[in-house]
Amino acid sequence: MASLGVEAEQEPLLGHSIPGSREWDIIETEEHYKSRWRSIRILYLTMFLSSVGFSIVLMSIWPYLQKIDQTADASFLGWVIASFSLGQMVASPIFGLWSNYRPRKEPLTVSIFISVAANCLYAYVQVPASHNKYYMLVARGLVGFGAGNVAVIRSYIAGATSLQERTSSMANTSACQALGFILGPEPIFLPLLRCLMQMDDSIYYFQFYVFQTCFALIGEKGVTWDTIKLQINMYTAPVLLGAFLGILNIILILTVLREHRVDDSGRQCKNINFEEASTDEVQVPQGNIDQVAVVATNVLFFVILFIFALFETIVTPLTMDMYAWTREQAVLYDGIILAALGVEAVIIFMGIKLLSKKVGERAILLGGLIVIWVGFFILLPWGHQFPKIQWEDLHNNSIPNTTFGEIIITLWKIPREDHNEGPTGCPVEQAWCLYTPMIHLAQFLTSAVLIGIGYPSCNVMSYTLYSKILGPKPQGMYMGWLTASGSAARILGPVFISQVYAAWGPRWAFSLVCGIVVLTITLLGVVYRRLIAFSVRHGRIQE
């Protein structure tokens, strides 16, 4: 037996953990230590692939939907996109509860298999003679259902790490999720390539899709495997790749993943999922979970994801209205901004692991919310300069009276329409354009940077605290509810901001967001002392 551990603050992001001394006396064999961290890293990969599964086809859904079913409209596109979050919201508690009573391999393998099958269904949605759009709806919903394994991943990592290791591991998990969202979507810099090379529209239209899907030799027609009626083209190749990676993921889970649970001090705990008995295992500590802290953390997590979802939604219509950007400019510039925020988030995840050791998770969560409030407060319109008014018919697909699906359609109309610029500016149909001051570009960029700092900080700290509050008991069901609350936030956030922005403009929209953040900070202040680890609350470990 050897005394081994992890200095969490020295652990490189997504890198190897170095055995060494720890402030607690933890007895763990070297074989058990390596097996535990191999299993955790397999779940890092699973989290990454889950994020890629959501984003890899997001920008190609609309043209594919138009191709397979001419009856599909913008409203239906909105349902197709939302079906992922709906499926995840339903599945998360189910898989979480399952993982509480059975080996985690079971829900993980089943959920990934569902995602693989759903991706295969997505590749075949053009085959039926009718109702193709509904097959696509089911396929994306099932992909989301399979992504409900996020709850199992978080509960496993929470149960397989000590308090000292927890924040670092959760930050790595979030970094994998962020990398999936960054690398999953197709590149955003292709409109810039078009501008630089002055391509003909029809040529660019072809190259735009090909480069986006990273399958330059396939094209829209692609190739057909007649025996199994499988058409491999730029729409289906990404999901087929996703299905292949899912199968590899299942193999890794079945062959590498082992069940591990440790208590808050890092000692092995007995549980029904553990495959090997050991004399060094200890019983799971007894005690009640603070349900007030659990509910409060779920509310905090919901608000955090709600706020960022609405910010992502409003970026394009806001910049088109305020700065009279064309559709092409908005997609290019806003895409660069959002990609930069993704890179910023990964950097924040790396820094959080160090900062949390100095100031604690609760302080970072509070600080992150304050930074988010400052970011939205800066977005409030000030001064006497007003945006350019678009007096002609509305052609720039700004937000008024549009669905979320219509916003996505905007992104796909760019390369197909004539390069001549249509009318730009704040459409007169939005009455607030006539009396609301513009938001200066410096305001917007400063706000984006601040929100990009606050959101990842709050995201990681909220479910890190949540896992510590729950303690060493099985967390699957609780993590399922947390994931479901996040999925609900991603559905409701865009709906909220689109309606408020269209009717009342940015002043009211961002004032309400500031008010929501103030209420959230107040809630955090009320429950601040209760957001402590299970073992600290029961006096087994000093904070």
Side-chain angles (χ1 to χ4, degrees):
M1 306 297 287
S3 179
L4 300 172
V6 177
E7 285 290 344
E9 65 269 19
Q10 294 180 358
E11 181 190 345
L13 187 70
L14 309 180
H16 298 287
S17 301
I18 303 171
S21 61
R22 190 188 292 169
E23 58 184 307
W24 297 307
D25 184 19
I26 299 173
I27 303 300
E28 185 180 38
T29 65
E30 183 175 1
E31 180 182 359
H32 179 274
Y33 170 83
K34 291 180 178 179
S35 174
R36 182 164 64 93
W37 282 99
R38 274 198 303 267
S39 299
I40 290 173
R41 292 185 185 108
I42 289 296
L43 296 185
Y44 289 162
L45 174 64
T46 304
M47 179 67 87
F48 171 80
L49 294 178
S50 176
S51 297
V52 171
F54 168 74
S55 57
I56 195 170
V57 299
L58 188 60
M59 294 302 293
S60 63
I61 286 178
W62 175 239
Y64 190 35
L65 184 60
Q66 283 186 310
K67 178 182 179 181
I68 64 171
D69 197 326
Q70 297 297 321
T71 66
D73 57 12
S75 297
F76 193 83
L77 174 64
W79 282 108
V80 171
I81 294 171
S83 63
F84 179 95
S85 294
L86 288 170
Q88 188 180 50
M89 183 172 65
V90 171
S92 296
I94 297 174
F95 288 131
L97 182 63
W98 186 353
S99 70
N100 278 357
Y101 298 99
R102 296 290 300 170
R104 264 76 61 100
K105 285 183 179 181
E106 292 182 9
L108 285 171
T109 302
V110 170
S111 62
I112 297 171
F113 179 79
I114 290 173
S115 294
V116 169
N119 281 328
C120 293
L121 174 61
Y122 187 92
Y124 276 97
V125 294
Q126 82 280 355
V127 174
S130 61
H131 306 299
N132 306 76
K133 63 182 181 181
Y134 296 107
Y135 289 104
M136 178 179 283
L137 179 69
V138 171
R140 289 302 293 170
L142 287 175
V143 171
F145 193 91
N149 60 20
V150 169
V152 182
I153 295 170
R154 287 175 175 163
S155 67
Y156 181 98
I157 293 174
T161 54
S162 66
L163 286 182
Q164 187 183 18
E165 299 165 332
R166 189 77 47 80
T167 302
S168 176
S169 300
M170 289 299 187
N172 289 348
T173 306
S174 291
C176 290
Q177 192 172 29
L179 287 172
F181 284 121
I182 294 171
L183 299 179
E186 300 83 359
I188 62 167
F189 299 103
L190 297 168
L192 178 60
L193 179 64
R194 178 191 186 189
C195 297
L196 294 175
M197 299 181 64
Q198 298 296 314
M199 294 181 182
D200 175 75
D201 281 1
S202 60
I203 297 175
Y204 172 73
Y205 175 55
F206 174 75
Q207 291 182 334
F208 179 83
Y209 284 110
V210 172
F211 277 106
Q212 272 199 324
T213 54
C214 301
F215 294 98
L217 299 179
I218 299 178
E220 187 173 12
K221 183 178 180 181
V223 295
T224 301
W225 190 349
D226 293 326
T227 305
I228 57 176
K229 297 182 179 181
L230 176 63
Q231 186 176 26
I232 304 175
N233 55 31
M234 60 189 183
Y235 303 126
T236 61
V239 295
L240 293 174
L241 175 63
F244 174 73
L245 293 176
I247 293 172
L248 292 181
N249 196 10
I250 290 175
I251 294 173
L252 286 173
I253 287 174
L254 293 176
T255 57
V256 179
L257 184 71
R258 295 293 180 267
E259 301 290 346
H260 294 287
R261 267 186 77 196
V262 298
D263 65 8
D264 286 348
S265 297
R267 296 171 298 178
Q268 288 181 237
C269 292
K270 284 187 177 181
N271 68 93
I272 66 162
N273 298 322
F274 208 95
E275 298 165 349
E276 299 175 1
S278 171
T279 57
D280 296 322
E281 293 174 353
V282 297
Q283 295 295 332
V284 177
Q286 298 301 311
N288 295 325
I289 296 172
D290 187 346
Q291 298 297 335
V292 173
V294 168
V295 173
T297 310
N298 271 277
V299 173
L300 292 171
F301 190 71
F302 174 88
V303 173
I304 291 164
L305 267 68
F306 178 88
I307 288 172
F308 192 72
L310 65 84
F311 178 75
E312 286 182 310
T313 301
I314 206 60
V315 163
T316 296
L318 178 68
T319 53
M320 292 175 70
D321 290 344
M322 291 293 123
Y323 315 124
W325 286 354
T326 63
R327 291 186 297 272
E328 183 167 315
Q329 289 173 323
V331 171
L332 172 61
Y333 301 149
D334 293 335
I336 292 173
I337 290 169
L338 291 176
L341 292 183
V343 175
E344 181 185 16
V346 175
I347 295 173
I348 294 297
F349 293 141
M350 292 191 297
I352 275 178
K353 298 197 293 183
L354 295 173
L355 187 60
S356 64
K357 298 298 179 183
K358 299 181 182 298
V359 302
E361 288 90 355
R362 292 178 297 176
I364 294 177
L365 178 57
L366 177 60
L369 286 171
I370 293 173
V371 170
I372 289 175
W373 181 87
V374 172
F376 278 101
F377 184 79
I378 289 174
L379 268 182
L380 294 176
W382 303 99
H384 303 287
Q385 186 176 352
F386 295 88
K388 172 187 173 183
I389 301 299
Q390 180 191 134
W391 294 102
E392 302 181 41
D393 292 338
L394 184 62
H395 292 302
N396 73 347
N397 283 331
S398 290
I399 201 78
N401 299 321
T402 62
T403 65
F404 177 63
E406 288 170 330
I407 298 172
I408 298 297
I409 291 174
T410 300
L411 307 181
W412 278 105
K413 286 186 176 179
I414 295 167
R416 284 179 277 180
E417 293 183 351
D418 189 33
H419 191 59
N420 296 329
E421 294 184 0
T424 59
C426 199
V428 70
E429 286 85 352
Q430 297 176 156
W432 55 263
C433 292
L434 300 174
Y435 57 81
T436 302
M438 74 175 294
I439 299 170
H440 297 279
L441 184 59
Q443 282 181 263
F444 173 72
L445 294 178
T446 303
S447 172
V449 170
L450 291 174
I451 294 171
I453 293 172
Y455 167 71
S457 303
C458 293
N459 189 346
V460 176
M461 290 303 102
S462 57
Y463 64 75
T464 298
L465 282 168
Y466 190 69
S467 68
K468 292 185 176 183
I469 291 167
L470 297 175
K473 295 183 178 182
Q475 299 185 6
M477 185 64 176
Y478 284 102
M479 284 295 180
W481 289 119
L482 188 75
T483 305
S485 68
S487 299
R490 288 196 299 270
I491 296 171
L492 298 177
V495 175
F496 168 83
I497 195 64
S498 62
Q499 297 300 316
V500 175
Y501 180 85
W504 299 328
R507 176 173 286 168
W508 271 102
F510 299 140
S511 293
L512 289 174
V513 173
C514 286
I516 292 172
V517 177
V518 168
L519 292 176
T520 306
I521 292 174
T522 303
L523 172 63
L524 177 59
V526 171
V527 299
Y528 192 86
R529 294 184 179 276
R530 306 185 74 137
L531 302 183
I532 56 176
F534 178 91
S535 294
V536 173
R537 178 169 174 261
H538 290 281
R540 298 187 179 95
I541 293 178
Q542 281 195 333
E543 189 173 12

